[in-house]
């Protein structure tokens, strides 16, 4: 990450000219290169919009199916830059799959809200990785968003 942060523009240029980088919006590539949180609504708008130009209004990720499509695009991009993170991302994907599977369909928005908060924590803390799903920070977030008496349950 430190190498990419020195010259993000050049890192993005080099990445796009390797021939192995998947299609992904430049603005989000920059976030990946800097190991920042990526908004899945932006991924959804870029890949799954019916408009030719990028729709300035993000298409909200509101179901498990859409979340998995966006996560898989995100994961492929991250693994291109940081191949050593593959298992970390697969573990997190399985974690979210387990949460979706354990909840009724009407609770999918809460799982997505938890995921957004969890990805922000992982991006802002160099001490927490996606595969550390039992880290105290992530456990508290799960309780807040997914348990009926959680402080963020109705968000």
């Amino acid at each position: 990450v430190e190498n990419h942060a020195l010259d993000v523009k050049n890192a993005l240029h080099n990445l796009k000219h390797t021939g192995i980088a998947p299609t992904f919006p430049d603005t989000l590539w920059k976030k990946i290169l800097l190991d920042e949180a990526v908004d899945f609504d932006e991924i959804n708008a870029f890949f799954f919009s019916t408009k030719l130009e990028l729709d300035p209004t993000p298409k909200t990720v509101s179901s498990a199916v859409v979340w998995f499509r966006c996560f898989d695009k995100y994961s492929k991009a991250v693994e291109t830059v940081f191949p050593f993170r593959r298992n970390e991302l697969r573990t997190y994907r399985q974690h979210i799959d387990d949460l979706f599977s354990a909840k009724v369909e009407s609770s999918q928005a809460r799982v997505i809200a938890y995921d957004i908060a969890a990805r922000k924590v992982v991006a802002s803390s160099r001490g927490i990785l996606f595969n550390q799903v039992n880290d105290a920070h992530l456990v508290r977030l799960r309780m807040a968003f997914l348990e009926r008496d959680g402080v963020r349950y109705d968000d």
Side-chain angles (χ1 to χ4, degrees), residues 121 125 127-129 131-142:
V121 166
S125 171
I128 303 172
L129 301 174
N131 60 348
Q132 295 174 310
V133 296
N134 292 319
D135 176 86
H137 290 89
L138 299 184
V139 170
R140 280 194 298 278
L141 285 176
R142 272 197 308 280

Side-chain angles (χ1 to χ4, degrees), residues 37-52:
V38 171
D39 186 345
F40 283 12
D41 291 348
E42 292 181 44
I43 295 172
N44 196 35
F46 181 82
F47 284 102
F48 307 110
S49 176
T50 57
K51 299 181 179 181
L52 287 177

Side-chain angles (χ1 to χ4, degrees), residues 30-129:
K30 290 176 184 174
K31 289 182 180 230
I32 287 174
L33 288 166
L34 295 172
D35 203 19
E36 295 176 353
V38 171
D39 186 345
F40 283 12
D41 291 348
E42 292 181 44
I43 295 172
N44 196 35
F46 181 82
F47 284 102
F48 307 110
S49 176
T50 57
K51 299 181 179 181
L52 287 177
E53 64 279 342
L54 184 59
D55 188 347
T57 309
K59 294 173 65 74
T60 304
V61 174
S62 57
S63 71
V65 170
V66 175
W67 185 91
F68 283 113
R69 283 194 313 225
C70 293
F71 183 83
D72 291 344
K73 297 283 187 187
Y74 165 76
S75 183
K76 189 173 181 179
V78 170
E79 290 174 30
T80 300
V81 179
F82 306 110
F84 57 88
R85 295 188 68 189
R86 182 177 192 189
N87 288 336
E88 173 191 349
L89 292 165
R90 287 178 186 231
T91 298
Y92 185 74
R93 187 185 195 282
Q94 184 61 55
H95 168 64
I96 296 298
D97 187 25
D98 291 345
L99 293 176
F100 279 131
S101 298
K103 298 290 182 183
V104 294
E105 191 171 334
S106 61
S107 293
Q108 288 183 359
R110 285 194 282 286
V111 174
I112 291 166
Y114 157 71
D115 161 66
I116 292 166
R119 285 185 289 111
K120 287 178 182 177
V121 166
V122 170
S124 66
S125 171
R126 295 293 174 238
I128 303 172
L129 301 174

